[in-house]
Amino acid sequence: MVDRFGPPGPPSKPEVEKVDGHSATVTWRRPSEDGGSDIIGYCVEKKEKKAMRWVRASKKSIAELSYEVTGLTEGIEYEFRILAENRAGFGEPSEPSMPVRTIVAAC
């Protein structure tokens, strides 16, 4: 039997909330196209605005539509994007979020 589904479409462009010196909370909406198979999770990727490479921000698949990204560096601009996963695998990534700068804590 051949599976009749493909990977999901991209989720919505993520919004970034609650930014502090070392973390940011990223939220998004489900993709409009699930590829014919239920969405089983999401992957959040991050990159420094000046960098070329996206890196995974979440070690495990995320079931919710938000995620707190930790381990960020103070005073750096970051962008985030989301990939949805179904039984066929990961789909195309979302558009990147607007760049956000982490806060530098006053001494």
Side-chain angles (χ1 to χ4, degrees):
M1 185 172 126
V2 177
D3 289 330
R4 299 191 184 279
F5 52 80
S12 69
K13 181 175 178 174
E15 301 282 327
V16 185
E17 306 165 348
K18 295 187 212 162
V19 179
D20 65 24
H22 299 283
S23 69
T25 300
V26 183
T27 61
W28 60 91
R29 290 189 307 280
R30 295 174 58 85
S32 55
E33 179 55 53
D34 65 9
S37 171
D38 289 341
I39 303 293
I40 56 175
Y42 297 92
C43 172
V44 176
E45 293 184 331
K46 66 179 179 179
K47 84 175 183 72
E48 291 182 18
K49 187 171 188 303
K50 295 177 183 166
M52 299 297 289
R53 245 182 80 220
W54 289 93
V55 293
R56 238 181 131 139
S58 54
K59 298 220 183 320
K60 296 180 181 169
S61 187
I62 301 160
E64 297 82 31
L65 297 173
S66 70
Y67 182 73
E68 182 183 9
V69 179
T70 57
L72 303 178
T73 303
E74 289 182 359
I76 300 291
E77 270 192 304
Y78 288 94
E79 294 176 316
F80 303 94
R81 70 180 185 182
I82 314 300
L83 296 91
E85 182 182 19
N86 67 10
R87 286 187 16 215
F90 284 104
E92 290 293 310
S94 68
E95 282 183 60
S97 67
M98 294 292 290
V100 293
R101 184 179 298 276
T102 49
I103 295 164
V104 176
C107 295

